[in-house]
Amino acid sequence: MADPLPITFQEFVKLPELGIDVSNISFNTLTLQSDKFICIREKTPQREQVCVVDLEDTSKTFRRPITADSAIMNPENKIIALKAGRNLQVFNLEMKAKVKSCVMTDDVQYWRWITPFDIALVTETSVFHWSIEGTASPVKQFERHANLNGTQIISYTANAKMNWMALIGISAPQGRIVGSMQLYNKDRGASQPIEAHAAEFSEIRLEGASQPTQVFAFASRGANGSKLHVVEIDHVEGNPPFQKRSADIMFPPEAVNDFPVSMQAGPKYEVVYMVTKFGFIHVYDLESGACIFTNRISGETVFVTAPHQDGVIAVNRKGQVLSVCINEETVVPYILQHTANVELAFRLASRANLPGADQLYVQRFQQLMGQSQYNEAAKMAASSPRGMLRTENTINQLKHLQSVPGQLSPILQYFATILEKGELNRHESIELARPVLASNRKALLEKWLKEDKLECSEELGDIVHPHDATLALSVYLRANVPAKVVLCFAQSGQFDKIVLYCKKVGYTPDWVQLLMQISRVDAEKACDFALSLVKEDPPLITADQVVGVFSSQNMVQQTTRFLLDALKDNKESDAHLQTKLLELNLLNAPQVADAILGNSMFTHFDRPYIAQLAEKAGLYQRALELYDNLSDIKRVAVHTEVLNSEWLIGYFGNLSVGDSLAVLRQMLEHNMAQNLQIVVQAATKYSELLGPQNIIEIFEDLRCSEGLYYYLGSVVNVTEDPAVVFKYIQAAVSTGQLKEVERLVRDNNHYDAEKVKNYLKEASLPDQLPLIIVCDRFDYVHDLVLYLYSNGMAKYIEVYVQQVNPSRLPQVVGALLDVDCDESIVKSLISSTPAQFSIGDLVSEIEKRNRLKILHRWLEAQASNGSQDTGLYNALAKIYIDSNYDPEQFLSSNKFYDPRVVGAYSEKRDPNLAYLAYSQGECDDELLRLTSENGMFKQQARYLIKRRDLGL
């Protein structure tokens, strides 16, 4: 049986089996940018297309009808870059969208993706980098060196920092394939021409180095032999210097014309894979330059490679897709057996944690211990592959060794070596934590935890907890010790994290007991915690359990806050908890209960019970809102001294008519003086609903004239019920509000005037003005005058005509004459009344009673004052005619009397005077009739001649 190889070889796929013609498998038509996709330009007489092979699942291979000179797939995503002449375009195949495009000024001879976001472009003169992000055009990096003139560019690579770049081309002078490389450093802006066929940037970690060492490896096959070179770039201050390594590249006799075509790094193992044109793989250790393995992997020419899982993937001319990587199980034994390079086997096993050198490690460790090289033994044990020497036995050996003055003790050297390269295991972490905490260097432990240098366990957390509970929590979290994590969260007051953590890890603590513990530490946080528990779906704890815990601690405020939140959905199933919440606050914090009830948050609690508690707590408004029984309502409603009057008035709107009337009566009976105002306001607001007669009955039954007055005063101006208006007048009279009686009878139009007149007469008011107004408005003037005169209140007659309504003087004088009032009184009244009455009406009233002469002097006085009132002069004319006081002179000279009125008055008394009056007024018809009836033809002829009116 052959010895196992140090590599793993795998054939991914044969491209012809995917329908790809071998003629399309070449350096110019096939590109491999990573181990994800292969891109092939397929050209047939019928069509041109691009085929993309998905190496993770070849069944997802797809083709697109694309015409291009070159196509390269993004190393990570389904993004393709296409080149047609100098036109470059980038498309996102999944989104079916163009990402970016540009037009170069020169032909692009070679291009490739150097990152998932950047493409390197090589023209005949320069190298550019083009980012597919943003809108920037390709950016020139450097100009090509002359040593690349006339070569075919086959490779371009750059380091991770993009400050070192290598461009490689090949040519064939004298039939030999010559490799030419330009190594460019961006920081210095300098290029170096080197003969090389392949190159790669990588990094290694040297012993004693704090940071990785950057290296550059390149291989060439010249006329004088083949070499692999490894050199350091960008030396890091503090790192040990790396000596340049050079190694001969051995080519077998059957491959005398072979040469390197590509190099790929294996960072995990710190190796480099070199692939040759004839299909050979060479594996070299970067640190030493030693060759680990050489063998042929393909019988066909390999023309393209890419990195693959710390190995290399390649395609040959027949379309085989092959991969090679280190075989971790066999590489170290292979080195020991076939190269006898023990140091290389040790370093590779240590750096990549590989098996195969275990026995050698044990032997060397024991040898170093036996030679008292304890620190070296500690370092070796710490760096042993797969931690084979990192055992409790090794730690115990190192713990008991004495340290050399000025040096670290072996055990600390052991820990330091592990911490420098990796992390401690469980036992190591515990052993290191004890002395570190004992020396009060907790910060070191925190640092190692942040750097993931310690393996956390429950034991480690228990050691840390007495020194720092927060740090212990971090340990328990990493060690996945749920019980201790929850306890630490509770102790540190991070209650909000407990539920999230328990859900995340699937841990279920005793929530009730935990809540009890938290409530003893921080009541407010316990409330928040309880709310988070009941809001889970399904709830982790019931509201009843929470209330039980909080009540046992007498946490009234927290119970209230919890229940307000937990019961906010107002569910009927929570009725008992609603009652509990209100009961708790009515007994301990009535103001809070008042606010809760005021917000109408809950509707399912025990209303009668809570109403009783509210009444006992003095919250009468809330009690009334909850009581349904009339006797309860009547008992509470009387406390108007503490009830909001506006609310109480509004409350009556919720009661039935009968209940409202009963409560209003009870309020007056309980304390009329205190409750009268509110009763009146309520009665006023709901007057139409309750019925004015019902309200009036209450006031009258309780002999509350004041209340009746104020109530009716508020409705009398809007009612049209004469009975209500009359009741108001009575109430106003009873309370002495005569001004209000006066106002009402003057302005109101809805009372029974006859009834009011009679009532006011019977009331014998000290001021008769209301009666005067009623009689004046409704034309009871004659009754008024008779009443006032017969009751010795003649002064109110004067008030009436002088102040209230002077226009009523004629009727008043007529009434006075009817009761045989002394003429002197009548004359005085006429003389003292403002001239705002009709003289004609006055004359008419007096003339009806044949007492016109009493006006004689008054009329003459008015005439002498310049009055031109026709009625006045009509009266004078009549007086002069009756008294024969030179009537001819008055009738012929006065122009203000009415000839027809005076003429008609004189016809029976003296036709001549009537003729005189008619002729003065040219009353043709009346004059002709008068003269004809009385045989006064001479006077008639004389008048006609005077008039000279043919029509007459």
Side-chain angles (χ1 to χ4, degrees):
M1 181 177 178
D3 292 335
L5 297 177
I7 62 168
T8 299
F9 175 81
Q10 180 183 357
E11 181 183 78
F12 273 79
V13 67
K14 292 179 180 178
L15 296 178
E17 294 178 356
L18 298 178
I20 298 168
D21 193 273
V22 175
S23 63
N24 293 320
I25 302 174
S26 68
F27 182 80
N28 292 323
T29 56
L30 183 148
T31 56
L32 178 69
Q33 303 289 302
S34 69
D35 60 356
K36 286 185 177 292
F37 305 104
I38 295 176
C39 191
I40 307 104
R41 290 187 300 114
E42 294 182 308
K43 194 169 185 180
T44 66
Q46 290 79 24
R47 64 181 184 277
E48 290 186 23
Q49 61 186 9
V50 171
C51 175
V52 177
V53 178
D54 188 332
L55 291 174
E56 293 181 351
D57 185 353
T58 56
S59 66
K60 294 182 179 177
T61 296
F62 60 90
R63 289 174 169 83
R64 294 288 186 271
I66 296 172
T67 302
D69 300 335
S70 178
I72 52 177
M73 282 294 291
N74 185 280
E76 290 187 2
N77 304 302
K78 286 188 178 180
I79 295 174
I80 192 169
L82 302 172
K83 176 167 72 73
R86 295 181 179 180
N87 292 303
L88 309 180
Q89 293 183 324
V90 180
F91 291 92
N92 188 313
L93 296 175
E94 290 183 319
M95 298 177 65
K96 298 181 180 179
K98 184 165 72 173
V99 177
K100 203 169 184 180
S101 65
C102 75
V103 179
M104 298 294 289
T105 56
D106 297 308
D107 292 338
V108 176
Q109 296 182 347
Y110 177 85
W111 66 335
R112 65 165 293 218
W113 292 89
I114 51 175
T115 75
F117 305 100
D118 300 282
I119 301 175
L121 307 170
V122 182
T123 68
E124 187 175 356
T125 60
S126 306
V127 175
F128 298 83
H129 285 180
W130 183 33
S131 174
I132 65 171
E133 296 182 306
T135 58
S137 299
V139 178
K140 183 178 178 179
Q141 302 300 307
F142 59 90
E143 293 184 353
R144 284 175 52 168
H145 195 274
N147 75 321
L148 291 170
N149 292 344
T151 65
Q152 178 188 0
I153 304 301
I154 62 170
S155 176
Y156 177 79
T157 185
N159 68 341
K161 291 171 63 178
M162 293 290 177
N163 64 329
W164 285 91
M165 305 153 201
L167 178 64
I168 299 173
I170 58 174
S171 58
Q174 293 87 42
R176 184 175 67 87
I177 303 299
V178 176
S180 301
M181 179 176 70
Q182 177 183 358
L183 179 63
Y184 177 74
N185 180 241
K186 192 173 184 178
D187 298 332
R188 293 195 290 269
S191 291
Q192 180 181 357
I194 301 172
E195 184 179 354
H197 291 77
E200 179 68 308
F201 293 96
S202 189
E203 65 181 28
I204 60 176
R205 183 176 285 275
L206 300 176
E207 186 173 354
S210 59
Q211 297 183 52
T213 296
Q214 305 299 313
V215 294
F216 176 61
F218 59 95
S220 66
R221 183 167 191 180
N224 299 321
S226 301
K227 289 281 188 182
L228 170 75
H229 303 279
V230 184
V231 297
E232 182 179 10
I233 58 173
D234 292 340
H235 178 70
V236 177
E237 191 68 31
N239 273 9
F242 175 76
Q243 298 298 323
K244 177 181 177 181
R245 302 283 189 259
S246 294
D248 291 329
I249 301 174
M250 302 305 295
F251 290 94
E254 68 269 24
V256 291
N257 294 322
D258 199 7
F259 61 90
V261 293
S262 71
M263 295 180 72
Q264 302 293 342
K268 176 181 178 182
Y269 311 108
E270 297 183 6
V271 298
V272 66
Y273 303 88
M274 185 183 76
V275 180
T276 69
K277 180 179 180 180
F278 288 4
F280 283 85
I281 185 79
H282 297 251
V283 184
Y284 291 91
D285 175 56
L286 283 171
E287 183 179 354
S288 64
C291 181
I292 297 174
F293 178 71
T294 300
N295 208 336
R296 195 167 198 166
I297 60 171
S298 171
E300 299 293 331
T301 299
V302 175
F303 62 89
V304 65
T305 67
H308 171 65
Q309 297 178 356
D310 278 294
V312 62
I313 188 170
V315 182
N316 66 18
R317 284 291 178 86
K318 290 294 185 180
Q320 280 184 294
V321 182
L322 313 169
S323 72
V324 173
C325 63
I326 293 292
N327 186 326
E328 295 189 349
E329 297 298 323
T330 63
V331 66
V332 173
Y334 180 88
I335 293 171
L336 289 172
Q337 183 176 350
H338 291 273
T339 69
N341 192 336
V342 176
E343 286 302 317
L344 175 58
F346 262 77
R347 284 197 301 272
L348 186 58
S350 179
R351 78 168 72 116
N353 204 26
L354 303 178
D358 296 3
Q359 191 58 38
L360 288 174
Y361 263 88
V362 173
Q363 291 174 5
R364 182 167 291 191
F365 175 73
Q366 295 300 339
Q367 181 183 356
L368 291 172
M369 290 291 286
Q371 295 171 355
S372 299
Q373 297 183 41
Y374 303 129
N375 282 6
E376 293 302 316
K379 290 180 182 179
M380 198 187 78
S383 58
S384 60
R386 305 180 328 283
M388 55 166 293
L389 290 175
R390 291 170 57 182
T391 63
E392 187 175 349
N393 182 52
T394 300
I395 293 172
N396 289 332
Q397 288 184 63
L398 297 174
K399 271 171 51 177
H400 297 95
L401 295 174
Q402 295 295 321
S403 60
V404 177
Q407 295 184 10
L408 283 175
S409 66
I411 187 63
L412 290 181
Q413 181 67 63
Y414 171 83
F415 289 136
T417 304
I418 298 173
L419 290 170
E420 182 182 347
K421 294 185 177 182
E423 64 180 47
L424 303 181
N425 62 32
R426 175 174 175 172
H427 189 72
E428 290 164 347
S429 300
I430 293 170
E431 288 296 336
L432 180 58
R434 287 194 176 99
V436 168
L437 291 171
S439 59
N440 199 26
R441 301 178 70 182
K442 183 182 67 175
L444 273 177
L445 213 59
E446 292 177 349
K447 174 178 177 292
W448 293 330
L449 275 173
K450 289 178 182 177
E451 295 172 351
D452 291 326
K453 296 289 187 180
L454 304 177
E455 181 179 341
C456 294
S457 62
E458 184 173 359
E459 293 89 339
L460 181 60
D462 293 342
I463 293 171
V464 174
H465 193 273
H467 300 271
D468 189 328
T470 302
L471 190 58
L473 172 60
S474 179
V475 174
Y476 290 134
L477 280 168
R478 295 165 188 253
N480 192 23
V481 187
K484 296 288 179 70
V485 170
V486 169
L487 186 60
C488 283
F489 275 141
Q491 290 174 344
S492 59
Q494 300 180 68
F495 309 115
D496 55 323
K497 297 180 180 179
I498 293 177
V499 175
L500 292 175
Y501 171 77
C502 289
K503 288 174 67 176
K504 182 177 180 180
V505 301
Y507 175 66
T508 306
D510 184 340
W511 295 111
V512 175
Q513 188 60 36
L514 184 59
L515 181 61
M516 181 70 77
Q517 293 176 359
I518 296 172
S519 66
R520 292 169 182 159
V521 176
D522 190 325
E524 287 303 317
K525 289 287 182 66
C527 184
D528 293 334
F529 182 54
L531 285 170
S532 68
L533 294 181
V534 298
K535 288 179 181 178
E536 291 298 318
D537 187 16
L540 301 177
I541 191 172
T542 67
D544 289 289
Q545 289 174 313
V546 174
V547 172
V549 171
F550 287 176
S551 296
S552 68
Q553 304 291 318
N554 196 29
M555 294 163 53
V556 176
Q557 185 176 347
Q558 288 72 31
T559 305
T560 300
R561 186 159 76 88
F562 167 77
L563 287 175
L564 283 175
D565 193 292
L567 304 179
K568 61 185 177 184
D569 293 334
N570 190 26
K571 298 178 181 176
E572 187 174 357
S573 58
D574 293 330
H576 65 292
L577 289 174
Q578 293 182 6
T579 304
K580 180 67 176 178
L581 171 62
L582 293 169
E583 175 191 42
L584 187 67
N585 283 282
L586 285 169
L587 296 175
N588 297 279
Q591 289 182 336
V592 175
D594 184 37
I596 295 172
L597 290 168
N599 289 328
S600 302
M601 298 172 63
F602 308 120
T603 57
H604 302 296
F605 54 88
D606 187 339
R607 295 174 66 90
Y609 176 62
I610 295 302
Q612 292 175 17
L613 293 179
E615 182 181 356
K616 291 177 182 177
L619 301 179
Y620 297 118
Q621 176 176 327
R622 304 306 173 200
L624 284 174
E625 290 172 339
L626 300 176
Y627 275 135
D628 294 324
N629 186 275
L630 179 59
S631 59
D632 293 326
I633 295 172
K634 289 166 64 176
R635 183 180 67 252
V636 177
V638 298
H639 296 285
T640 56
E641 72 279 5
V642 293
L643 283 168
N644 180 283
S645 58
E646 185 176 343
W647 176 88
L648 183 58
I649 293 168
Y651 172 73
F652 280 96
N654 301 325
L655 300 178
S656 66
V657 172
D659 287 353
S660 295
L661 293 170
V663 173
L664 291 174
R665 183 183 291 274
Q666 178 66 27
M667 290 171 68
L668 289 176
E669 290 177 348
H670 182 266
N671 191 330
M672 186 177 294
Q674 174 182 290
N675 300 333
L676 179 59
Q677 183 178 358
I678 292 178
V679 171
V680 169
Q681 290 175 346
T684 301
K685 183 172 182 177
Y686 303 106
S687 178
E688 185 175 349
L689 179 66
L690 301 179
Q693 293 303 327
N694 294 327
I695 298 171
I696 291 170
E697 182 180 345
I698 292 175
F699 286 120
E700 288 182 340
D701 288 349
L702 299 176
R703 298 180 181 179
C704 183
S705 299
E706 184 180 359
L708 185 60
Y709 167 72
Y710 286 120
Y711 160 66
L712 292 174
S714 62
V715 300
V716 71
N717 294 323
V718 295
T719 186
E720 296 182 2
D721 187 345
V724 172
V725 179
F726 181 70
K727 286 290 183 180
Y728 179 65
I729 294 172
Q730 286 182 313
V733 170
S734 300
T735 54
Q737 302 295 330
L738 298 186
K739 288 293 183 183
E740 180 61 12
V741 177
E742 177 185 331
R743 180 199 69 78
L744 183 77
V745 296
R746 179 187 298 114
D747 300 336
N748 194 283
N749 297 316
H750 303 292
Y751 59 87
D752 184 334
E754 179 73 22
K755 187 174 182 181
V756 171
K757 178 197 73 172
N758 294 334
Y759 170 73
L760 292 176
K761 287 166 65 175
E762 294 171 1
S764 301
L765 302 180
D767 186 350
Q768 295 300 317
L769 191 55
L771 177 62
I772 291 172
I773 292 171
V774 172
C775 293
D776 178 66
R777 285 191 64 191
F778 296 96
D779 205 18
Y780 294 129
V781 177
H782 196 274
D783 285 355
L784 173 67
V785 173
L786 291 179
Y787 170 75
L788 294 176
Y789 186 79
S790 62
N791 287 279
M793 291 184 282
K795 67 175 183 175
Y796 284 105
I797 298 176
E798 293 181 16
V799 170
Y800 176 38
V801 295
Q802 292 174 4
Q803 299 177 19
V804 178
N805 192 354
S807 67
R808 288 291 194 178
L809 178 67
Q811 293 98 314
V812 172
V813 169
L816 288 173
L817 292 176
D818 288 343
V819 293
D820 291 330
C821 180
D822 188 271
E823 285 189 1
S824 61
I825 295 175
V826 175
K827 290 179 179 180
S828 175
L829 184 63
I830 294 171
S831 298
S832 61
T833 299
Q836 298 174 13
F837 53 87
S838 170
I839 295 176
D841 290 345
L842 177 64
V843 170
S844 176
E845 288 293 331
I846 296 176
E847 188 177 5
K848 288 177 187 177
R849 296 165 175 79
N850 298 315
R851 306 286 291 275
L852 197 56
K853 289 183 179 180
I854 64 174
L855 289 176
H856 185 184
R857 300 301 176 199
W858 180 82
L859 291 172
E860 287 183 341
Q862 295 300 312
S864 64
N865 288 334
S867 174
Q868 296 181 5
D869 186 272
T870 301
L872 182 149
Y873 289 99
N874 288 344
L876 279 175
K878 291 176 182 180
I879 292 171
Y880 291 157
I881 291 170
D882 288 340
S883 60
N884 198 23
Y885 188 75
D886 196 8
E888 293 84 357
Q889 171 63 28
F890 180 81
L891 294 177
S892 59
S893 61
N894 192 277
K895 304 296 183 184
F896 301 115
Y897 66 88
D898 185 338
R900 286 185 174 81
V901 172
V902 174
Y905 182 80
S906 303
E907 281 186 13
K908 300 296 183 183
R909 292 172 173 76
D910 187 340
N912 290 314
L913 291 177
Y915 169 79
L916 182 59
Y918 287 146
S919 64
Q920 286 292 107
E922 296 184 354
C923 301
D924 298 340
D925 293 339
E926 288 82 357
L927 186 143
L928 291 176
R929 178 184 54 75
L930 173 71
T931 54
S932 295
E933 289 178 355
N934 291 282
M936 300 170 65
F937 300 113
K938 289 182 179 180
Q939 290 89 333
Q940 186 180 81
R942 198 180 294 122
Y943 177 76
L944 291 173
I945 292 171
K946 180 182 177 182
R947 290 276 289 134
R948 295 183 181 183
D949 185 337
L950 294 176
L952 181 64

